[in-house]
Amino acid sequence: MSQQKVDIKKVTFMLLGFGLAKVLYDYLTAGAIDVRGVIFVPIITLGLMYFVDKDRFMIKEDD
């Protein structure tokens, strides 16, 4: 029987990618970096992505 488990590497890379994109966007548009936005916006984005498309973050494990 196969079980599904969250792929932590994929979640971490996506979180870092969204955080880096937010830092670059803030720096290039406003010239200042919003630290709270850099932390919370990627977390909210990943939560919504997980809610809509859970299979993107899952890996199959065989018992």
Side-chain angles (χ1 to χ4, degrees):
M1 185 180 212
S2 66
Q3 295 179 348
Q4 290 186 338
K5 195 174 186 181
V6 175
D7 187 5
I8 298 298
K9 285 183 184 179
K10 189 179 283 189
V11 172
T12 304
F13 285 133
M14 290 189 81
L15 184 65
L16 290 174
F18 284 129
L20 181 62
K22 179 71 172 137
V23 166
L24 289 174
Y25 177 77
D26 283 349
Y27 182 73
L28 294 175
T29 58
I33 297 171
D34 178 25
V35 176
R36 285 178 283 175
V38 170
I39 294 170
F40 292 119
V41 170
I43 291 173
I44 292 169
T45 304
L46 284 177
L48 290 173
M49 285 176 64
Y50 181 78
F51 180 68
V52 172
D53 187 19
K54 186 187 289 187
D55 293 334
R56 179 184 303 242
F57 299 113
M58 297 294 190
I59 55 175
K60 290 184 180 179
E61 258 189 7
D62 293 329
D63 285 339

